[in-house]
Amino acid sequence: ADGGAFVCVAMTLALGDDLGIYYVATEPAYRRRRLASQLVGALLLDARARGFRTSTLQASAEGLRVWERLGYRRVGEMHGFV
């Protein structure tokens, strides 16, 4: 948070022993500071401590390379409507 405003967020969903990580987003003015990577890293550390064995991450086309560098791999494509 910056002055009380959130600048990087993620939503999680636990399903069995998998932690789903969805809608990771960073405000444009705060991008390229590794905030999302640090947030997801903290989520994964917490998940491991709580006994989760796997994680699934939903990525945008813009963020895919970031998550691939952290060890995630593309297994499918999801289409949504706005």
Side-chain angles (χ1 to χ4, degrees):
D2 181 23
F6 288 101
V7 297
C8 185
V9 297
M11 181 179 80
T12 61
L13 176 65
L15 183 59
D17 62 357
D18 182 79
L19 180 70
I21 303 172
Y22 304 94
Y23 306 111
V24 180
T26 305
E27 285 289 336
Y30 292 87
R31 292 181 183 158
R32 306 193 73 66
R33 299 182 190 190
R34 299 191 40 84
L35 296 175
S37 299
Q38 291 175 24
L39 175 58
V40 169
L43 291 170
L44 293 174
L45 284 174
D46 180 66
R48 180 176 290 167
R50 293 175 35 207
F52 288 89
R53 297 175 45 88
T54 59
S55 68
T56 304
L57 185 133
Q58 176 186 340
S60 65
E62 297 85 10
L64 184 58
R65 286 184 294 135
V66 172
W67 308 120
E68 287 177 333
R69 283 194 302 266
L70 293 177
Y72 283 93
R73 62 185 173 86
R74 184 178 186 161
V75 296
E77 189 169 315
M78 184 175 96
H79 297 273
F81 297 95
V82 179

